[in-house]
Amino acid sequence: MDSILYYLAPDEMDPFLLFWGKQALISAVIIGVFYLLSRLAQQLLTKVGTRLCSFTETDLDDRILERVSGPAMLLVNCAGLYLAIRRLPLHDRIGIIASGLLFVVNISILTVIAYRALDELLKAYGARVAGAEMSRQLMPLVEKLCTIFLVVTALIITLKHFNYDILSLVTALGVGSLAIGLAAKDTLANMISGFTLMIDRPFRIGDRITLGTQTGDVMDIGLRSTKIKGLDNTLLIIPNSELCNSNLINMAFPDMRGKGRVNIGIGYECDVARAKEIMVQTALDVSEVLKDPAPEAFFVNFGDSALNLSLFFWVPEYTQVFGAQDKINSALLNRFQENGINIPYPTRTVIYEKDTNNAPQD
């Protein structure tokens, strides 16, 4: 074995063709060894890795293993090719170019592996933690930002390998980022507020919210602005920074149920208990009104011309409040008339008195 290795070892005294033949043979052996290592690694990932992943409850590791196994095999082969070329007695310029290209290829493969693993992690986070809607809105942007970070990192490593001064590049990028940030501070504020809305989730797409005097349904949550469709079919576009600093009411949170109220006045001579009973029963007869929680009627206060009562009821969805309120009002008008309960209207009594001292005498 030692004699075989002795004859195969390149020697500068060997003829040109023999010397290069030995070098090429050794490089071919290195490539073959790394190819065998890649096949062995593939078998280990297929058998051992799959078996280890089967012990976990989630399929995240299975998906990551499936997506990175191919590039990992290619990385091992390229690493062997890189070592094989590096040891060949090529011209300095040719060797530097060839090894440099292979180094760039290896860094690119590592970047692809990192991107695929990160992509699966982001998908799992979006589906399990963030929810389907937030995943649709936020995950594409996060993936782009992560891709930019990975590409910039790979570029810096590559430039460092070729002995380029990356400090000046980083400084230039920092100064440029500062200038862009100052020039587009309002846009950046809206983007950051958009991230806040997507993560904090005070409302979701489809929720009905009240913002000041405006009420509408959320149509879209963008990075710069949020679109709200008003009840009169108008579209309200609000910058996210303004929306984050405003007080709003979310009618669809914590659930879709809506609460309605009917205010009515009855005459002072009417039976309050009977009127409250009629109001509750009328609400229960409306199909949209929930039985649990049950409707409730209250004697609120003494008005100038009537005893003021209020009926509170719940419906399965907040969009049904106005429809149920219309049915209750219509039914109460008939029920009160049938039971002799009158709904008074405001009256005023004007008394004229004659001032006998100052009034002109006939």
Side-chain angles (χ1 to χ4, degrees), residues 276-322:
K276 291 166 59 178
E277 180 182 349
I278 293 173
M279 294 172 69
V280 172
Q281 187 58 46
T282 302
L284 290 173
D285 292 340
V286 176
S287 59
E288 290 87 351
V289 176
L290 295 175
K291 305 300 186 291
D292 185 21
E296 295 179 300
F298 298 96
F299 178 18
V300 180
N301 55 44
F302 296 90
D304 294 337
S305 305
L307 302 175
N308 295 322
L309 307 179
S310 293
L311 172 69
F312 297 91
F313 61 91
W314 291 85
V315 292
E317 296 185 8
Y318 56 84
T319 55
Q320 300 175 331
V321 171
F322 293 110

mmCIF file of all heavy atoms in Angstrom, residues 276-322:
data_model
loop_
_atom_site.group_PDB
_atom_site.id
_atom_site.type_symbol
_atom_site.label_atom_id
_atom_site.label_comp_id
_atom_site.label_asym_id
_atom_site.label_seq_id
_atom_site.Cartn_x
_atom_site.Cartn_y
_atom_site.Cartn_z
ATOM 1 N N LYS A 276 -93.491 46.271 30.731
ATOM 2 C CA LYS A 276 -92.197 45.594 30.662
ATOM 3 C C LYS A 276 -92.367 44.134 30.229
ATOM 4 O O LYS A 276 -91.570 43.607 29.436
ATOM 5 C CB LYS A 276 -91.493 45.665 32.019
ATOM 6 C CG LYS A 276 -91.026 47.074 32.383
ATOM 7 C CD LYS A 276 -90.651 47.196 33.856
ATOM 8 C CE LYS A 276 -89.555 46.242 34.241
ATOM 9 N NZ LYS A 276 -89.160 46.409 35.661
ATOM 10 N N GLU A 277 -93.414 43.489 30.717
ATOM 11 C CA GLU A 277 -93.672 42.102 30.334
ATOM 12 C C GLU A 277 -93.969 41.985 28.845
ATOM 13 O O GLU A 277 -93.473 41.070 28.171
ATOM 14 C CB GLU A 277 -94.846 41.566 31.161
ATOM 15 C CG GLU A 277 -95.202 40.119 30.854
ATOM 16 C CD GLU A 277 -96.399 39.658 31.663
ATOM 17 O OE1 GLU A 277 -96.819 40.361 32.600
ATOM 18 O OE2 GLU A 277 -96.923 38.571 31.349
ATOM 19 N N ILE A 278 -94.747 42.927 28.328
ATOM 20 C CA ILE A 278 -95.070 42.913 26.903
ATOM 21 C C ILE A 278 -93.809 43.148 26.071
ATOM 22 O O ILE A 278 -93.595 42.507 25.026
ATOM 23 C CB ILE A 278 -96.146 43.972 26.590
ATOM 24 C CG1 ILE A 278 -97.478 43.587 27.248
ATOM 25 C CG2 ILE A 278 -96.320 44.147 25.087
ATOM 26 C CD1 ILE A 278 -98.542 44.644 27.133
ATOM 27 N N MET A 279 -92.956 44.048 26.513
ATOM 28 C CA MET A 279 -91.729 44.331 25.776
ATOM 29 C C MET A 279 -90.822 43.109 25.697
ATOM 30 O O MET A 279 -90.275 42.782 24.624
ATOM 31 C CB MET A 279 -90.996 45.502 26.440
ATOM 32 C CG MET A 279 -91.739 46.832 26.348
ATOM 33 S SD MET A 279 -90.974 48.150 27.330
ATOM 34 C CE MET A 279 -89.459 48.417 26.406
ATOM 35 N N VAL A 280 -90.651 42.407 26.802
ATOM 36 C CA VAL A 280 -89.798 41.205 26.801
ATOM 37 C C VAL A 280 -90.382 40.122 25.912
ATOM 38 O O VAL A 280 -89.679 39.479 25.114
ATOM 39 C CB VAL A 280 -89.598 40.700 28.239
ATOM 40 C CG1 VAL A 280 -88.880 39.355 28.235
ATOM 41 C CG2 VAL A 280 -88.812 41.712 29.063
ATOM 42 N N GLN A 281 -91.718 39.910 26.025
ATOM 43 C CA GLN A 281 -92.347 38.861 25.226
ATOM 44 C C GLN A 281 -92.297 39.192 23.738
ATOM 45 O O GLN A 281 -92.105 38.316 22.895
ATOM 46 C CB GLN A 281 -93.798 38.676 25.672
ATOM 47 C CG GLN A 281 -94.495 37.482 25.016
ATOM 48 C CD GLN A 281 -93.764 36.167 25.281
ATOM 49 O OE1 GLN A 281 -93.384 35.892 26.419
ATOM 50 N NE2 GLN A 281 -93.567 35.376 24.244
ATOM 51 N N THR A 282 -92.454 40.464 23.413
ATOM 52 C CA THR A 282 -92.380 40.875 22.010
ATOM 53 C C THR A 282 -90.992 40.610 21.440
ATOM 54 O O THR A 282 -90.855 40.142 20.306
ATOM 55 C CB THR A 282 -92.715 42.370 21.882
ATOM 56 O OG1 THR A 282 -94.030 42.604 22.417
ATOM 57 C CG2 THR A 282 -92.674 42.817 20.432
ATOM 58 N N ALA A 283 -89.975 40.889 22.221
ATOM 59 C CA ALA A 283 -88.616 40.627 21.751
ATOM 60 C C ALA A 283 -88.370 39.135 21.563
ATOM 61 O O ALA A 283 -87.723 38.717 20.599
ATOM 62 C CB ALA A 283 -87.603 41.218 22.728
ATOM 63 N N LEU A 284 -88.896 38.322 22.466
ATOM 64 C CA LEU A 284 -88.701 36.872 22.348
ATOM 65 C C LEU A 284 -89.399 36.300 21.123
ATOM 66 O O LEU A 284 -88.979 35.268 20.589
ATOM 67 C CB LEU A 284 -89.208 36.173 23.613
ATOM 68 C CG LEU A 284 -88.369 36.394 24.878
ATOM 69 C CD1 LEU A 284 -89.066 35.784 26.090
ATOM 70 C CD2 LEU A 284 -86.975 35.792 24.710
ATOM 71 N N ASP A 285 -90.479 36.955 20.673
ATOM 72 C CA ASP A 285 -91.201 36.465 19.498
ATOM 73 C C ASP A 285 -90.477 36.766 18.190
ATOM 74 O O ASP A 285 -90.835 36.219 17.147
ATOM 75 C CB ASP A 285 -92.605 37.093 19.457
ATOM 76 C CG ASP A 285 -93.486 36.589 20.597
ATOM 77 O OD1 ASP A 285 -93.173 35.515 21.153
ATOM 78 O OD2 ASP A 285 -94.469 37.269 20.936
ATOM 79 N N VAL A 286 -89.471 37.630 18.229
ATOM 80 C CA VAL A 286 -88.694 37.935 17.026
ATOM 81 C C VAL A 286 -87.623 36.857 16.846
ATOM 82 O O VAL A 286 -86.879 36.547 17.778
ATOM 83 C CB VAL A 286 -88.056 39.334 17.136
ATOM 84 C CG1 VAL A 286 -87.164 39.609 15.926
ATOM 85 C CG2 VAL A 286 -89.136 40.391 17.253
ATOM 86 N N SER A 287 -87.549 36.278 15.652
ATOM 87 C CA SER A 287 -86.676 35.116 15.423
ATOM 88 C C SER A 287 -85.201 35.457 15.585
ATOM 89 O O SER A 287 -84.405 34.609 15.995
ATOM 90 C CB SER A 287 -86.932 34.551 14.022
ATOM 91 O OG SER A 287 -86.686 35.549 13.036
ATOM 92 N N GLU A 288 -84.792 36.689 15.273
ATOM 93 C CA GLU A 288 -83.380 37.043 15.353
ATOM 94 C C GLU A 288 -82.884 37.232 16.775
ATOM 95 O O GLU A 288 -81.676 37.200 17.021
ATOM 96 C CB GLU A 288 -83.106 38.335 14.574
ATOM 97 C CG GLU A 288 -83.208 38.195 13.063
ATOM 98 C CD GLU A 288 -84.627 38.401 12.576
ATOM 99 O OE1 GLU A 288 -85.538 38.473 13.443
ATOM 100 O OE2 GLU A 288 -84.832 38.477 11.355
ATOM 101 N N VAL A 289 -83.779 37.431 17.730
ATOM 102 C CA VAL A 289 -83.383 37.718 19.105
ATOM 103 C C VAL A 289 -83.001 36.431 19.824
ATOM 104 O O VAL A 289 -83.701 35.415 19.741
ATOM 105 C CB VAL A 289 -84.514 38.440 19.866
ATOM 106 C CG1 VAL A 289 -84.138 38.656 21.331
ATOM 107 C CG2 VAL A 289 -84.817 39.772 19.198
ATOM 108 N N LEU A 290 -81.858 36.463 20.515
ATOM 109 C CA LEU A 290 -81.385 35.292 21.254
ATOM 110 C C LEU A 290 -82.191 35.086 22.539
ATOM 111 O O LEU A 290 -82.597 36.045 23.193
ATOM 112 C CB LEU A 290 -79.905 35.461 21.602
ATOM 113 C CG LEU A 290 -78.918 35.493 20.420
ATOM 114 C CD1 LEU A 290 -77.510 35.800 20.926
ATOM 115 C CD2 LEU A 290 -78.930 34.174 19.661
ATOM 116 N N LYS A 291 -82.371 33.824 22.869
ATOM 117 C CA LYS A 291 -83.041 33.486 24.132
ATOM 118 C C LYS A 291 -82.059 33.521 25.303
ATOM 119 O O LYS A 291 -82.477 33.673 26.458
ATOM 120 C CB LYS A 291 -83.664 32.078 24.022
ATOM 121 C CG LYS A 291 -84.624 31.914 22.838
ATOM 122 C CD LYS A 291 -85.781 32.883 22.913
ATOM 123 C CE LYS A 291 -86.803 32.632 21.816
ATOM 124 N NZ LYS A 291 -86.299 32.976 20.462
ATOM 125 N N ASP A 292 -80.766 33.356 24.998
ATOM 126 C CA ASP A 292 -79.737 33.407 26.036
ATOM 127 C C ASP A 292 -78.544 34.191 25.485
ATOM 128 O O ASP A 292 -77.898 33.747 24.521
ATOM 129 C CB ASP A 292 -79.292 31.993 26.420
ATOM 130 C CG ASP A 292 -78.306 31.989 27.571
ATOM 131 O OD1 ASP A 292 -78.264 32.994 28.313
ATOM 132 O OD2 ASP A 292 -77.566 30.996 27.713
ATOM 133 N N PRO A 293 -78.285 35.344 26.046
ATOM 134 C CA PRO A 293 -78.975 36.014 27.160
ATOM 135 C C PRO A 293 -80.351 36.535 26.755
ATOM 136 O O PRO A 293 -80.538 36.985 25.625
ATOM 137 C CB PRO A 293 -78.021 37.170 27.509
ATOM 138 C CG PRO A 293 -77.255 37.435 26.251
ATOM 139 C CD PRO A 293 -77.110 36.127 25.560
ATOM 140 N N ALA A 294 -81.262 36.441 27.697
ATOM 141 C CA ALA A 294 -82.648 36.793 27.422
ATOM 142 C C ALA A 294 -82.827 38.311 27.383
ATOM 143 O O ALA A 294 -82.063 39.054 28.005
ATOM 144 C CB ALA A 294 -83.545 36.197 28.503
ATOM 145 N N PRO A 295 -83.833 38.785 26.650
ATOM 146 C CA PRO A 295 -84.119 40.231 26.641
ATOM 147 C C PRO A 295 -84.523 40.724 28.036
ATOM 148 O O PRO A 295 -85.100 39.978 28.832
ATOM 149 C CB PRO A 295 -85.280 40.361 25.646
ATOM 150 C CG PRO A 295 -85.267 39.092 24.860
ATOM 151 C CD PRO A 295 -84.725 38.032 25.757
ATOM 152 N N GLU A 296 -84.221 41.981 28.313
ATOM 153 C CA GLU A 296 -84.537 42.585 29.603
ATOM 154 C C GLU A 296 -85.122 43.973 29.377
ATOM 155 O O GLU A 296 -84.662 44.722 28.506
ATOM 156 C CB GLU A 296 -83.296 42.703 30.482
ATOM 157 C CG GLU A 296 -82.710 41.370 30.896
ATOM 158 C CD GLU A 296 -81.462 41.527 31.737
ATOM 159 O OE1 GLU A 296 -80.491 42.134 31.230
ATOM 160 O OE2 GLU A 296 -81.455 41.074 32.901
ATOM 161 N N ALA A 297 -86.148 44.301 30.179
ATOM 162 C CA ALA A 297 -86.777 45.615 30.114
ATOM 163 C C ALA A 297 -86.585 46.325 31.448
ATOM 164 O O ALA A 297 -86.699 45.703 32.508
ATOM 165 C CB ALA A 297 -88.262 45.486 29.769
ATOM 166 N N PHE A 298 -86.334 47.633 31.397
ATOM 167 C CA PHE A 298 -86.071 48.406 32.600
ATOM 168 C C PHE A 298 -86.854 49.723 32.557
ATOM 169 O O PHE A 298 -87.045 50.312 31.482
ATOM 170 C CB PHE A 298 -84.570 48.713 32.737
ATOM 171 C CG PHE A 298 -83.700 47.489 32.867
ATOM 172 C CD1 PHE A 298 -83.078 46.940 31.747
ATOM 173 C CD2 PHE A 298 -83.522 46.882 34.100
ATOM 174 C CE1 PHE A 298 -82.278 45.825 31.865
ATOM 175 C CE2 PHE A 298 -82.713 45.757 34.216
ATOM 176 C CZ PHE A 298 -82.094 45.225 33.103
ATOM 177 N N PHE A 299 -87.301 50.125 33.738
ATOM 178 C CA PHE A 299 -87.922 51.438 33.914
ATOM 179 C C PHE A 299 -86.776 52.416 34.163
ATOM 180 O O PHE A 299 -86.168 52.413 35.224
ATOM 181 C CB PHE A 299 -88.906 51.380 35.089
ATOM 182 C CG PHE A 299 -89.567 52.689 35.393
ATOM 183 C CD1 PHE A 299 -89.603 53.728 34.476
ATOM 184 C CD2 PHE A 299 -90.159 52.892 36.627
ATOM 185 C CE1 PHE A 299 -90.218 54.922 34.763
ATOM 186 C CE2 PHE A 299 -90.776 54.090 36.923
ATOM 187 C CZ PHE A 299 -90.801 55.112 35.992
ATOM 188 N N VAL A 300 -86.509 53.279 33.197
ATOM 189 C CA VAL A 300 -85.305 54.089 33.226
ATOM 190 C C VAL A 300 -85.483 55.356 34.058
ATOM 191 O O VAL A 300 -84.756 55.607 35.016
ATOM 192 C CB VAL A 300 -84.852 54.436 31.793
ATOM 193 C CG1 VAL A 300 -83.574 55.281 31.833
ATOM 194 C CG2 VAL A 300 -84.607 53.171 30.990
ATOM 195 N N ASN A 301 -86.467 56.166 33.710
ATOM 196 C CA ASN A 301 -86.643 57.431 34.438
ATOM 197 C C ASN A 301 -88.041 58.001 34.175
ATOM 198 O O ASN A 301 -88.804 57.484 33.348
ATOM 199 C CB ASN A 301 -85.568 58.452 34.063
ATOM 200 C CG ASN A 301 -85.498 58.704 32.571
ATOM 201 O OD1 ASN A 301 -86.527 58.856 31.908
ATOM 202 N ND2 ASN A 301 -84.287 58.751 32.029
ATOM 203 N N PHE A 302 -88.320 59.059 34.908
ATOM 204 C CA PHE A 302 -89.572 59.795 34.750
ATOM 205 C C PHE A 302 -89.350 60.929 33.758
ATOM 206 O O PHE A 302 -88.548 61.835 34.005
ATOM 207 C CB PHE A 302 -90.056 60.363 36.095
ATOM 208 C CG PHE A 302 -90.395 59.311 37.103
ATOM 209 C CD1 PHE A 302 -89.419 58.829 37.972
ATOM 210 C CD2 PHE A 302 -91.669 58.783 37.191
ATOM 211 C CE1 PHE A 302 -89.723 57.869 38.909
ATOM 212 C CE2 PHE A 302 -91.978 57.825 38.134
ATOM 213 C CZ PHE A 302 -91.008 57.355 38.996
ATOM 214 N N GLY A 303 -90.042 60.878 32.665
ATOM 215 C CA GLY A 303 -89.921 61.936 31.687
ATOM 216 C C GLY A 303 -90.932 63.045 31.909
ATOM 217 O O GLY A 303 -91.772 62.981 32.813
ATOM 218 N N ASP A 304 -90.855 64.077 31.087
ATOM 219 C CA ASP A 304 -91.791 65.194 31.209
ATOM 220 C C ASP A 304 -93.215 64.782 30.875
ATOM 221 O O ASP A 304 -94.171 65.225 31.522
ATOM 222 C CB ASP A 304 -91.361 66.332 30.274
ATOM 223 C CG ASP A 304 -90.033 66.937 30.701
ATOM 224 O OD1 ASP A 304 -89.686 66.810 31.887
ATOM 225 O OD2 ASP A 304 -89.337 67.502 29.834
ATOM 226 N N SER A 305 -93.345 63.911 29.868
ATOM 227 C CA SER A 305 -94.686 63.520 29.429
ATOM 228 C C SER A 305 -94.921 62.024 29.497
ATOM 229 O O SER A 305 -96.023 61.553 29.176
ATOM 230 C CB SER A 305 -94.930 63.997 27.985
ATOM 231 O OG SER A 305 -94.714 65.375 27.860
ATOM 232 N N ALA A 306 -93.878 61.226 29.873
ATOM 233 C CA ALA A 306 -94.028 59.773 29.835
ATOM 234 C C ALA A 306 -93.083 59.125 30.829
ATOM 235 O O ALA A 306 -92.133 59.747 31.323
ATOM 236 C CB ALA A 306 -93.744 59.257 28.425
ATOM 237 N N LEU A 307 -93.390 57.859 31.106
ATOM 238 C CA LEU A 307 -92.488 57.006 31.882
ATOM 239 C C LEU A 307 -91.576 56.304 30.877
ATOM 240 O O LEU A 307 -92.048 55.539 30.027
ATOM 241 C CB LEU A 307 -93.278 55.989 32.706
ATOM 242 C CG LEU A 307 -94.293 56.566 33.690
ATOM 243 C CD1 LEU A 307 -95.088 55.429 34.345
ATOM 244 C CD2 LEU A 307 -93.606 57.411 34.746
ATOM 245 N N ASN A 308 -90.283 56.538 30.963
ATOM 246 C CA ASN A 308 -89.340 56.045 29.958
ATOM 247 C C ASN A 308 -88.873 54.633 30.309
ATOM 248 O O ASN A 308 -88.344 54.393 31.398
ATOM 249 C CB ASN A 308 -88.147 56.986 29.848
ATOM 250 C CG ASN A 308 -88.539 58.353 29.328
ATOM 251 O OD1 ASN A 308 -89.396 58.462 28.451
ATOM 252 N ND2 ASN A 308 -87.929 59.397 29.872
ATOM 253 N N LEU A 309 -89.054 53.702 29.359
ATOM 254 C CA LEU A 309 -88.627 52.309 29.501
ATOM 255 C C LEU A 309 -87.592 51.991 28.426
ATOM 256 O O LEU A 309 -87.599 52.599 27.353
ATOM 257 C CB LEU A 309 -89.819 51.368 29.369
ATOM 258 C CG LEU A 309 -91.038 51.625 30.264
ATOM 259 C CD1 LEU A 309 -92.127 50.593 29.980
ATOM 260 C CD2 LEU A 309 -90.656 51.601 31.734
ATOM 261 N N SER A 310 -86.741 51.021 28.725
ATOM 262 C CA SER A 310 -85.723 50.580 27.766
ATOM 263 C C SER A 310 -85.712 49.069 27.702
ATOM 264 O O SER A 310 -85.755 48.394 28.745
ATOM 265 C CB SER A 310 -84.328 51.099 28.143
ATOM 266 O OG SER A 310 -84.259 52.502 28.007
ATOM 267 N N LEU A 311 -85.638 48.543 26.484
ATOM 268 C CA LEU A 311 -85.558 47.111 26.242
ATOM 269 C C LEU A 311 -84.189 46.794 25.651
ATOM 270 O O LEU A 311 -83.765 47.406 24.669
ATOM 271 C CB LEU A 311 -86.662 46.667 25.268
ATOM 272 C CG LEU A 311 -86.575 45.223 24.769
ATOM 273 C CD1 LEU A 311 -86.870 44.241 25.901
ATOM 274 C CD2 LEU A 311 -87.531 44.999 23.600
ATOM 275 N N PHE A 312 -83.490 45.828 26.250
ATOM 276 C CA PHE A 312 -82.189 45.383 25.773
ATOM 277 C C PHE A 312 -82.307 43.949 25.277
ATOM 278 O O PHE A 312 -82.913 43.100 25.949
ATOM 279 C CB PHE A 312 -81.141 45.479 26.876
ATOM 280 C CG PHE A 312 -80.891 46.874 27.368
ATOM 281 C CD1 PHE A 312 -81.607 47.385 28.444
ATOM 282 C CD2 PHE A 312 -79.955 47.683 26.747
ATOM 283 C CE1 PHE A 312 -81.384 48.672 28.900
ATOM 284 C CE2 PHE A 312 -79.722 48.969 27.201
ATOM 285 C CZ PHE A 312 -80.444 49.475 28.271
ATOM 286 N N PHE A 313 -81.716 43.678 24.123
ATOM 287 C CA PHE A 313 -81.794 42.329 23.531
ATOM 288 C C PHE A 313 -80.495 42.041 22.797
ATOM 289 O O PHE A 313 -79.721 42.948 22.463
ATOM 290 C CB PHE A 313 -82.992 42.222 22.588
ATOM 291 C CG PHE A 313 -82.934 43.167 21.422
ATOM 292 C CD1 PHE A 313 -82.356 42.793 20.218
ATOM 293 C CD2 PHE A 313 -83.445 44.456 21.538
ATOM 294 C CE1 PHE A 313 -82.289 43.662 19.154
ATOM 295 C CE2 PHE A 313 -83.376 45.341 20.477
ATOM 296 C CZ PHE A 313 -82.791 44.951 19.274
ATOM 297 N N TRP A 314 -80.257 40.739 22.523
ATOM 298 C CA TRP A 314 -79.042 40.295 21.837
ATOM 299 C C TRP A 314 -79.423 39.550 20.558
ATOM 300 O O TRP A 314 -80.443 38.856 20.521
ATOM 301 C CB TRP A 314 -78.213 39.370 22.716
ATOM 302 C CG TRP A 314 -77.577 40.052 23.894
ATOM 303 C CD1 TRP A 314 -78.143 40.292 25.112
ATOM 304 C CD2 TRP A 314 -76.253 40.588 23.957
ATOM 305 N NE1 TRP A 314 -77.264 40.940 25.935
ATOM 306 C CE2 TRP A 314 -76.094 41.139 25.251
ATOM 307 C CE3 TRP A 314 -75.192 40.661 23.055
ATOM 308 C CZ2 TRP A 314 -74.915 41.746 25.653
ATOM 309 C CZ3 TRP A 314 -74.016 41.264 23.457
ATOM 310 C CH2 TRP A 314 -73.885 41.807 24.742
ATOM 311 N N VAL A 315 -78.588 39.711 19.536
ATOM 312 C CA VAL A 315 -78.765 38.988 18.273
ATOM 313 C C VAL A 315 -77.468 38.239 17.957
ATOM 314 O O VAL A 315 -76.395 38.604 18.457
ATOM 315 C CB VAL A 315 -79.119 39.956 17.126
ATOM 316 C CG1 VAL A 315 -80.512 40.545 17.326
ATOM 317 C CG2 VAL A 315 -78.085 41.061 16.996
ATOM 318 N N PRO A 316 -77.531 37.162 17.134
ATOM 319 C CA PRO A 316 -76.313 36.365 16.871
ATOM 320 C C PRO A 316 -75.204 37.162 16.191
ATOM 321 O O PRO A 316 -74.026 36.927 16.440
ATOM 322 C CB PRO A 316 -76.811 35.236 15.969
ATOM 323 C CG PRO A 316 -78.272 35.164 16.209
ATOM 324 C CD PRO A 316 -78.714 36.540 16.521
ATOM 325 N N GLU A 317 -75.560 38.110 15.312
ATOM 326 C CA GLU A 317 -74.571 38.915 14.609
ATOM 327 C C GLU A 317 -74.947 40.378 14.708
ATOM 328 O O GLU A 317 -76.130 40.735 14.640
ATOM 329 C CB GLU A 317 -74.466 38.502 13.137
ATOM 330 C CG GLU A 317 -73.957 37.078 12.929
ATOM 331 C CD GLU A 317 -73.767 36.765 11.458
ATOM 332 O OE1 GLU A 317 -73.885 37.696 10.628
ATOM 333 O OE2 GLU A 317 -73.509 35.588 11.138
ATOM 334 N N TYR A 318 -73.943 41.207 14.840
ATOM 335 C CA TYR A 318 -74.203 42.646 15.022
ATOM 336 C C TYR A 318 -74.891 43.264 13.810
ATOM 337 O O TYR A 318 -75.538 44.298 13.920
ATOM 338 C CB TYR A 318 -72.901 43.382 15.318
ATOM 339 C CG TYR A 318 -71.818 43.204 14.284
ATOM 340 C CD1 TYR A 318 -71.766 43.982 13.133
ATOM 341 C CD2 TYR A 318 -70.827 42.254 14.461
ATOM 342 C CE1 TYR A 318 -70.781 43.818 12.192
ATOM 343 C CE2 TYR A 318 -69.823 42.079 13.522
ATOM 344 C CZ TYR A 318 -69.808 42.861 12.393
ATOM 345 O OH TYR A 318 -68.818 42.689 11.459
ATOM 346 N N THR A 319 -74.787 42.632 12.642
ATOM 347 C CA THR A 319 -75.446 43.167 11.455
ATOM 348 C C THR A 319 -76.966 43.002 11.517
ATOM 349 O O THR A 319 -77.685 43.602 10.704
ATOM 350 C CB THR A 319 -74.910 42.471 10.193
ATOM 351 O OG1 THR A 319 -75.069 41.048 10.327
ATOM 352 C CG2 THR A 319 -73.428 42.781 10.004
ATOM 353 N N GLN A 320 -77.478 42.201 12.455
ATOM 354 C CA GLN A 320 -78.922 41.961 12.559
ATOM 355 C C GLN A 320 -79.599 42.888 13.564
ATOM 356 O O GLN A 320 -80.811 42.773 13.780
ATOM 357 C CB GLN A 320 -79.174 40.500 12.962
ATOM 358 C CG GLN A 320 -78.626 39.490 11.972
ATOM 359 C CD GLN A 320 -78.783 38.060 12.470
ATOM 360 O OE1 GLN A 320 -78.788 37.806 13.668
ATOM 361 N NE2 GLN A 320 -78.912 37.133 11.549
ATOM 362 N N VAL A 321 -78.847 43.788 14.187
ATOM 363 C CA VAL A 321 -79.420 44.627 15.237
ATOM 364 C C VAL A 321 -80.523 45.511 14.685
ATOM 365 O O VAL A 321 -81.637 45.585 15.239
ATOM 366 C CB VAL A 321 -78.315 45.475 15.906
ATOM 367 C CG1 VAL A 321 -78.940 46.516 16.838
ATOM 368 C CG2 VAL A 321 -77.364 44.587 16.682
ATOM 369 N N PHE A 322 -80.279 46.199 13.578
ATOM 370 C CA PHE A 322 -81.260 47.146 13.051
ATOM 371 C C PHE A 322 -82.514 46.436 12.548
ATOM 372 O O PHE A 322 -83.636 46.921 12.735
ATOM 373 C CB PHE A 322 -80.630 47.982 11.934
ATOM 374 C CG PHE A 322 -79.550 48.891 12.413
ATOM 375 C CD1 PHE A 322 -78.229 48.644 12.071
ATOM 376 C CD2 PHE A 322 -79.842 49.982 13.208
ATOM 377 C CE1 PHE A 322 -77.220 49.480 12.523
ATOM 378 C CE2 PHE A 322 -78.833 50.823 13.665
ATOM 379 C CZ PHE A 322 -77.523 50.565 13.314
#
